[in-house]
Amino acid sequence: YRRVLGVLNAYIKPKLLSPELYGLWNILSIIPSYASYSHLGSRSIMRYLIPYNMAKNEFQKNVEIKSSVFYGSLYLNVLISAILVIISFAWNLTMVVRLGLLTMAIMVILMWYYDYYLSLLKSYQNFKLITSTNYLRGNITVFLGIILIYFFNIYGVFLSAILSYIFVILYLKVKYPLEPHGKFQFKVFIDLVKKGVPLTLYNFNIELILTLDRIIISYYLGSEQVGYYAIAIMI
């Protein structure tokens, strides 16, 4: 279902945006994708350690793991987001690119929270809520995107990207409120990183393979050619 909606969404964006703006969006959207690996593997290994500790009735360990992953990954994502904000104002950029970078700064934080939520739900095998969330996110992304892109062009893309995550996060908070987190424990976080970094490196390498072509084309040929190339990728 998400794939079908994704095809519809991918068809609509290049129809309503110019190739240059569509290419710009494809380049900017890489940033939060890369930033999503800034947890350094801690979130990946959390999925396996929580059910493992539950089976051993070691619930305090899970509290420490969840708190350390939550705050450890938050600090790193806030750092990335702050760098994007500084770049957007420090460099001589067009208004579209500046707003795009600011949008990505917000997206980095929203995606961090959403991905943490999903990892936690997977840890507790709550796949029913994950499924309903996927349906909701797919619908909101496509139908909200159509309306906002039609009226606001590239700015509608930025706005729909932010709103889709906000709506889904609010839905998750209603259905599955997070427990209060304990203190961040640096030692626990480092131990999680050591165990989870091989998984993250593998996934990040795949992400690089899938996205490096757009970066190379943008560098040598510009964002307009990325737009044409992205249409080929979509097909």
Side-chain angles (χ1 to χ4, degrees), residues 75-190:
Y75 299 151
L76 293 170
N77 279 276
V78 167
L79 176 62
I80 295 171
S81 183
I83 292 172
L84 291 173
V85 172
I86 292 171
I87 291 173
S88 66
F89 287 106
W91 291 6
N92 185 22
L93 303 171
T94 63
M95 183 58 68
V96 173
V97 176
R98 178 173 287 114
L99 289 177
L101 287 174
L102 292 175
T103 300
M104 295 306 110
I106 298 172
M107 289 286 293
V108 165
I109 302 300
L110 291 175
M111 286 182 65
W112 155 77
Y113 196 68
Y114 174 75
D115 289 340
Y116 175 81
Y117 238 122
L118 284 191
S119 295
L120 205 60
L121 292 174
K122 291 174 183 178
S123 301
Y124 289 105
Q125 293 89 53
N126 194 339
F127 299 111
K128 184 177 181 180
L129 181 55
I130 293 174
T131 303
S132 63
T133 303
N134 284 336
Y135 279 114
L136 178 64
R137 185 186 165 202
N139 287 325
I140 291 175
T141 301
V142 172
F143 298 111
L144 185 65
I146 293 173
I147 297 171
L148 292 177
I149 295 172
Y150 180 80
F151 286 104
F152 302 107
N153 205 261
I154 186 66
Y155 304 108
V157 178
F158 299 156
L159 190 58
S160 65
I162 293 173
L163 290 178
S164 62
Y165 273 101
I166 290 176
F167 287 145
V168 171
I169 288 172
L170 291 176
Y171 172 76
L172 286 172
K173 290 182 73 67
V174 170
K175 293 290 185 178
Y176 192 89
L178 292 180
E179 300 173 359
H181 290 90
K183 295 181 179 179
F184 172 67
Q185 298 188 35
F186 183 75
K187 185 178 180 180
V188 174
F189 182 72
I190 292 299

